Amino acid sequence: MSADWKGAIDCDVHPHVPNIDALKKHMNEYWRETVEVRGITAFESVAYPPNAPITLRPDWRADKAKGRARADTDAGRTAAALMDRHGFAHSILNCLYAVQLIRDEHMAAAFCSAVNDWMRAEWLDRDPRYRASIVLPLQNPELAVEEIERCAADKRFVQVLALAMGEQPLGKSHFWPVWKAAEKHGLAIGIHAGSSYHHATTGSGWPSYYLEDYAAQSLAFHTQLGSFIAEGVFVKFPKLKLVLIESGVTWIGPYLWRLSKFWRGVRLEVPWIDRSPIEFVRDHVRLTIQPFDAPASGETVGRLMDQLQSDEMLLFASDFPHWQFDNDDMMPVGIDATLRKKILIDNPLATYARLV
Amino acid sequence: MTRHVVARAADLPPGTRKKVSVENRDIVVLNIKGELFALSDKCPHKGASLCGGLLTGLVRSDGPGDYQYERKGEILRCPWHQWEFDVRTGRSYCDPRRMRLMQFPVAVEAGASVVEGPYKAETFNVSVEDDYIVLDVP
Amino acid sequence: MPLDDPMGPAITTANGKGSAAPNRLAVIDGDIHPAVRSMADFKPYLSKRWWDHYETYGMRRKHGSSNGEPYPKSAPLACRRDAWPEEGGRPGSSLRLMQEQHLDAYGVEHGILGPLGNTGQGEMNLELSAAMCSATNDWQRDTFTRPEKRLKGGLVVPYEDGVASAKEIERCGADTDFGQVFLLTRSSEPLGSRRYWPIYEAAERYNLPIGFHVFGTSGHPVSGAGWPSYYIEEGAGHSTSCQTVVTSLVIEGVFERFPKLKVVMIEGGFAWAPALAFRLDKVFERLRSEVPHLKRRPSEYIRDHVYFTTQPMEEPDDRRHVLDIMDWIGWDKLLFASDYPHWDFDDPFRAFPAGVTTEQHRRIVAENGKSVFRLN
Ligand code: FES
């Protein structure tokens, strides 16, 4: 069956920095030399072990025999796998090069700039359909603002990117200068699964298995969502859109019931929250659909979708090259044609002000 | 509408409250700085007795970090899940349209007029010298 | 009782008359919190060495506070305003009031206790932790479960020390006054880690379920995202700490190793469970080569081993959503809990939404707990 994907906006595609040399080209002399002198080889995170099945779909992996690199290192092959094949209008690039691991905020800023410039040169310039998220040195909000200001003139950047697990929850006032700059430029805030590993990945410390680590990502999204709401970020910056990327989807309804119930009882602690958290979420928060944490049952998915009480919250995403689906099964079963169109096109357009 | 004598006025001085049962209804009568309020005692959420709740002020805000404390003592918080009810309107703060306490007209009447009726005062004797709290209950 | 009216018929809670009504369900309450009047109540149960130690150094847990809460609650001691005993002391410290206001009023046939506070759990000095836990268990027995047969104790163990915990289960586990082994969700390591296995081994041997109650002082923020600012975030976040526990127990293979173990998730709500099970199944499908010790899908272990207390009841705007959740979890896996005397208390007859059938309600409120809490 050939589903119609034409014009879709893929809100989560991961370009892979092939090696440190690719970034060095985009660094000044001091940092280029630092990389050499100090023997910096990479900043890659355990969040996606390169050989773990979930990290790369088999057909997008490197193939030594054929002399082929992994597909996500190349703008052309990535475009061929999705945009060309299905006629997507855009792919939004979220680079997961692990700048967040770096403890030195200045080095982090240098690497962020390099990553952003590398995306510009190797991806955005090579295919006009690409859009991208600005990778930020959130180690220091002032430096993050500087990076936004440096990149924002380029309208192909449509979002700023943070990870679900950082130093402190992202709604805290510490980060407000960053969100202010994002709002000013019409950039959405994207929070992607992943960690700076500056805290353990669970509330009870470090788990033994990678599987637990990956599963725990959705828990950090609970915290982030609660933080954005409770701290009043949307009250302070009413034009902001927050996109939760690769968070799963089905956790959010139940969490919001709980948050809203608490709000009724303890709202005097956060009196700036003058309506139910659910309403803030409907107005400001979006989620990408891959992975979609539900069984492949149309009936179950239908009931889960009903929990969202909104057809505007979901954004289409392939999560390329992560192995979330086989073949072309990018859309959960049980989503009707009207909703499907909203997810593929209308909702992303409404979320990313700079897409139009 | 029947008028019920529910207390001697002297027994409900400012800052006190009393739960009364009238026509099978539990009602909380509050004296807030000399002003009387009578509201359904049963929380519309899960039925706690509101008489055991705390009276606080209304907290408003213009934005994060801003706390404006108004109308001290006019918000009744449920002793269980802490929903706030405005004693002047009976409405809950968080869900004012759906969650609302029934309000009852309440007044102080002189003993002399109360003795003449038509009032119901099953639980105690009314004397002409005292003032009484009278509730209108449909 | 008809549940079509979500408010249900009124229960006269003020004077406990409700208990006299015939044909009332014999309620099993999975979460009641007893309290000491003051720490002196523990003194008779501690050796001089440990009492002196406590008096000199106090308790030290991984939140840095010796008095007061880093996230102050919404009410004093997070308690119902109407649960403070006239004779003084904190809510939960008066058996008389607990009987009158709760056990009698709601027709509670069995209440499972969960002692919180300075019980020794999470204390960093492991020997003090063990001594305090033993004291808590003995105090609980003398003060609550012996005088009031409807109450069953929560056997507290110094869980950061698995071996000492197993010893405490050995000491008390045969006593049918205890209905569960009681742990907190926020432990120093994920609760499926091997250091905790001696607890599960001993509990399984005594046919005691493990109750995992929210709270605890792990020293870690509620998730990897860092420390939130507000109580609303901390409170709502308890459901994430429950998810950490379930994930860890399943993935680290606890249920493979202890196939008869039953666990009860307490006070974290339950609506999160289906989404978690969906997620774990999905990730497992991709990453099963990493965890070859698992023979079945995560959702199957959850289905067989994990029970959920219903409090604080989930209250979505559309009640069908919570009915779906209850359906997915299974009506045999949900256990009523009141959380008496805490502020987010649930009433067994008013907490549940319309649409829960009389039979489903009976199972949750009066039936499912029997086999879980060793009440048969
Ligand atoms: S019963 Fe009053 S707020 Fe829940």
Side-chain angles (χ1 to χ4, degrees):
Chain A
M1 191 192 90
S2 80
D4 189 11
W5 304 97
K6 221 171 143 37
I9 295 156
D10 184 347
C11 300
D12 190 27
V13 169
H14 301 297
H16 187 73
V17 175
N19 52 48
I20 196 97
D21 291 335
L23 295 182
K24 258 168 66 186
K25 277 192 228 159
H26 303 282
M27 289 175 174
N28 69 23
E29 228 177 324
Y30 169 77
W31 287 109
R32 272 205 305 272
E33 191 142 317
T34 292
V35 167
E36 299 267 315
V37 170
R38 297 179 67 181
I40 298 170
T41 52
F43 289 105
E44 278 165 18
S45 138
V46 295
Y48 297 95
N51 295 325
I54 206 167
T55 304
L56 280 151
R57 213 169 91 161
D59 50 334
W60 296 330
R61 287 186 172 276
D63 187 335
K64 281 225 178 76
K66 290 187 185 146
R68 218 173 51 188
R70 46 193 275 186
D72 58 346
T73 52
D74 182 80
R77 282 181 56 207
T78 298
L82 296 164
M83 290 195 292
D84 295 349
R85 181 178 166 86
H86 301 296
F88 297 170
H90 297 292
S91 285
I92 300 177
L93 304 170
N94 294 318
C95 183
L96 299 179
Y97 195 74
V99 292
Q100 297 82 3
L101 294 179
I102 304 172
R103 305 271 180 181
D104 168 350
E105 63 192 41
H106 305 291
M107 184 185 288
F111 271 82
C112 284
S113 296
V115 168
N116 291 325
D117 289 347
W118 168 79
M119 273 196 293
R120 244 195 297 218
E122 301 296 332
W123 294 76
L124 299 176
D125 288 350
R126 287 188 46 199
D127 191 318
R129 292 169 297 179
Y130 282 124
R131 297 292 181 272
S133 300
I134 304 172
V135 174
L136 294 180
L138 286 170
Q139 288 87 338
N140 178 335
E142 277 179 41
L143 296 176
V145 171
E146 274 175 33
E147 185 61 10
I148 293 177
E149 295 299 340
R150 196 182 70 85
C151 297
D154 187 337
K155 292 286 193 280
R156 295 172 300 181
F157 286 112
V158 297
Q159 177 168 252
V160 298
L161 192 67
L163 294 187
M165 301 185 189
E167 306 275 337
Q168 43 179 331
L170 292 163
K172 293 194 76 136
S173 60
H174 179 76
F175 297 105
W176 290 1
V178 186
W179 310 148
K180 187 176 174 189
E183 188 190 44
K184 182 178 89 182
H185 292 293
L187 292 155
I189 302 171
I191 303 181
H192 193 282
S195 179
S196 66
Y197 295 94
H198 294 185
H199 293 295
T201 48
T202 85
S204 295
W206 302 91
S208 307
Y209 300 102
Y210 168 64
L211 192 164
E212 295 172 80
D213 208 275
Y214 187 81
Q217 294 297 332
S218 80
L219 306 183
F221 281 98
H222 289 68
T223 305
Q224 298 294 9
L225 183 60
S227 176
F228 266 82
I229 290 169
E231 302 276 358
V233 177
F234 301 124
V235 176
K236 192 87 184 168
F237 307 109
K239 296 203 297 280
L240 274 186
K241 285 277 191 285
L242 174 66
V243 186
L244 308 179
I245 310 170
E246 204 179 327
S247 74
V249 168
T250 56
W251 60 274
I252 196 170
Y255 179 65
L256 286 173
W257 307 339
R258 193 169 161 86
L259 195 63
S260 298
K261 180 166 173 170
F262 262 87
W263 170 73
R264 286 170 183 240
V266 308
R267 68 125 207 134
L268 104 170
E269 177 191 33
V270 284
W272 42 90
I273 305 309
D274 56 2
R275 53 208 169 105
S276 168
I278 291 177
E279 292 181 41
F280 282 99
V281 169
R282 292 207 188 110
D283 290 350
H284 295 276
V285 181
R286 302 293 176 258
L287 301 98
T288 61
I289 55 157
Q290 286 294 347
F292 191 89
D293 294 331
S297 143
E299 203 233 330
T300 306
V301 170
R303 286 154 83 183
L304 288 163
M305 297 305 293
D306 196 51
Q307 289 178 358
L308 299 178
Q309 297 280 286
S310 163
D311 55 6
E312 294 178 352
M313 283 178 54
L314 298 185
L315 309 181
F316 172 63
S318 65
D319 194 21
F320 173 90
H322 298 163
W323 189 8
Q324 304 292 11
F325 53 85
D326 288 305
N327 305 316
D328 295 332
D329 299 337
M330 294 175 276
M331 189 66 80
V333 293
I335 290 187
D336 66 38
T338 320
L339 180 57
R340 180 187 161 90
K341 180 171 169 291
K342 293 205 76 152
I343 292 172
L344 289 176
I345 301 169
D346 304 344
N347 294 348
L349 284 177
T351 303
Y352 294 107
R354 291 162 64 115
L355 264 190
V356 278
Chain B
M1 188 79 72
T2 321
R3 309 202 75 193
H4 294 262
V5 184
V6 294
R8 285 191 334 137
D11 291 341
L12 197 74
T16 63
R17 64 195 60 184
K18 185 178 179 186
K19 177 170 159 179
V20 300
S21 257
V22 175
E23 308 263 347
N24 273 328
R25 245 187 246 277
D26 289 336
I27 296 171
V28 56
V29 185
L30 304 116
N31 183 335
I32 301 174
K33 297 178 201 149
E35 207 176 336
L36 292 176
F37 299 89
L39 300 154
S40 165
D41 181 63
K42 181 163 144 180
C43 181
H45 178 220
K46 296 290 173 185
S49 165
L50 290 169
C51 189
L54 194 68
L55 281 170
T56 61
L58 180 66
V59 192
R60 288 181 193 281
S61 169
D62 280 343
D66 178 50
Y67 307 86
Q68 294 166 25
Y69 197 63
E70 303 164 358
R71 298 179 51 204
K72 191 165 159 44
E74 295 189 6
I75 304 296
L76 182 58
R77 289 174 73 89
C78 178
W80 288 4
H81 314 105
Q82 318 253 0
W83 290 15
E84 299 156 274
F85 295 93
D86 186 331
V87 295
R88 293 194 182 276
T89 63
R91 293 180 192 274
S92 89
Y93 177 88
C94 290
D95 194 354
R97 276 182 310 115
R98 289 190 307 171
M99 291 295 173
R100 186 177 180 176
L101 302 175
M102 200 162 185
Q103 296 170 285
F104 303 93
V106 57
V108 174
E109 303 275 354
S113 68
V114 170
V115 167
E116 283 169 15
Y119 294 96
K120 279 193 172 172
E122 297 99 5
T123 45
F124 52 86
N125 296 322
V126 171
S127 94
V128 282
E129 290 88 55
D130 289 326
D131 288 341
Y132 292 90
I133 292 173
V134 176
L135 270 183
D136 286 352
V137 178
Chain C
M1 61 166 293
L3 281 163
D4 301 321
D5 167 14
M7 291 297 297
I11 296 163
T12 317
T13 54
N15 53 14
K17 273 181 199 144
S19 62
N23 302 326
R24 289 285 301 275
L25 289 175
V27 172
I28 298 172
D29 182 347
D31 193 28
I32 295 177
H33 297 294
V36 286
R37 288 165 303 179
S38 75
M39 283 300 281
D41 283 354
F42 284 144
K43 191 173 174 187
Y45 305 101
L46 282 170
S47 66
K48 179 165 172 3
R49 188 248 184 274
W50 287 117
W51 178 255
D52 288 350
H53 181 107
Y54 166 72
E55 289 247 287
T56 311
Y57 298 102
M59 306 290 284
R60 290 169 62 255
R61 277 176 281 174
K62 292 182 177 173
H63 61 18
S65 171
S66 69
N67 187 7
E69 295 275 351
Y71 293 104
K73 312 282 186 188
S74 63
L77 301 175
C79 283
R80 277 168 50 169
R81 290 260 167 205
D82 56 1
W84 289 79
E86 272 161 31
E87 64 265 36
R90 7 171 94 198
S93 67
S94 160
L95 178 59
R96 178 200 60 78
L97 183 60
M98 188 188 285
Q99 288 165 329
E100 198 175 290
Q101 183 176 46
H102 189 62
L103 304 180
D104 299 345
Y106 293 98
V108 174
E109 172 157 282
H110 288 296
I112 312 299
L113 298 178
L116 296 173
N118 277 336
T119 59
Q121 295 199 306
E123 161 63 40
M124 288 189 271
N125 176 328
L126 293 182
E127 285 182 59
L128 173 60
S129 178
M132 283 301 302
C133 284
S134 295
T136 302
N137 290 329
D138 294 343
W139 158 82
Q140 208 180 163
R141 199 149 42 177
D142 286 353
T143 318
F144 290 94
T145 60
R146 288 226 173 105
E148 172 51 88
K149 280 301 167 200
R150 285 176 290 184
L151 295 175
K152 295 283 175 193
L155 205 171
V156 300
V157 293
Y159 51 75
E160 299 299 356
D161 181 341
V163 174
S165 296
K167 239 189 241 164
E168 184 64 10
I169 296 174
E170 286 295 331
R171 192 178 73 90
C172 304
D175 185 341
T176 54
D177 268 10
F178 289 98
Q180 67 176 344
V181 173
F182 189 73
L183 267 62
L184 302 176
T185 53
R186 291 181 63 181
S187 47
S188 294
E189 284 187 50
L191 279 154
S193 306
R194 281 167 205 231
R195 65 188 280 181
Y196 305 111
W197 286 17
I199 306 176
Y200 308 136
E201 191 274 327
E204 188 187 49
R205 196 146 31 85
Y206 284 98
N207 191 26
L208 282 163
I210 309 272
F212 292 99
H213 189 282
V214 299
F215 301 111
T217 46
S218 65
H220 297 281
V222 64
S223 78
W227 295 97
S229 305
Y230 299 105
Y231 175 61
I232 185 175
E233 299 169 80
E234 160 85 355
H238 286 315
S239 66
T240 59
S241 73
C242 291
Q243 296 182 60
T244 296
V245 173
V246 173
T247 301
S248 179
L249 293 173
V250 170
I251 304 300
E252 308 252 350
V254 170
F255 299 124
E256 269 302 324
R257 178 65 175 262
F258 306 106
K260 294 207 298 286
L261 190 67
K262 290 178 182 152
V263 307
V264 185
M265 303 312 301
I266 308 171
E267 208 182 323
F270 56 86
W272 47 269
L276 177 71
F278 298 154
R279 181 171 180 82
L280 292 178
D281 277 2
K282 200 145 185 196
V283 186
F284 177 68
E285 198 182 308
R286 284 285 178 267
L287 300 176
R288 59 194 312 163
S289 63
E290 191 202 15
V291 285
H293 54 276
L294 297 185
K295 307 292 178 239
R296 297 187 290 155
R297 295 189 307 156
S299 62
E300 296 173 50
Y301 294 108
I302 295 174
R303 187 73 185 77
D304 285 355
H305 295 274
V306 185
Y307 294 78
F308 303 86
T309 62
T310 49
Q311 181 274 341
M313 188 61 196
E314 314 283 359
E315 295 177 44
D317 288 343
D318 184 339
R319 61 187 166 78
R320 283 173 312 176
H321 296 152
V322 69
L323 296 173
D324 282 343
I325 298 274
M326 294 168 99
D327 236 16
W328 288 327
I329 290 177
W331 297 92
D332 56 334
K333 288 292 182 288
L334 294 162
L335 312 172
F336 167 73
S338 71
D339 197 25
Y340 177 87
H342 290 159
W343 72 281
D344 40 358
F345 170 83
D346 272 352
D347 170 330
F349 301 101
R350 289 200 176 108
F352 298 93
V356 172
T357 67
T358 306
E359 174 56 16
Q360 289 163 338
H361 182 252
R362 190 189 65 77
R363 292 176 77 180
I364 295 173
V365 168
E367 186 63 38
N368 296 339
K370 279 186 198 162
S371 58
V372 182
F373 295 117
R374 219 174 58 164
L375 299 173
N376 285 332

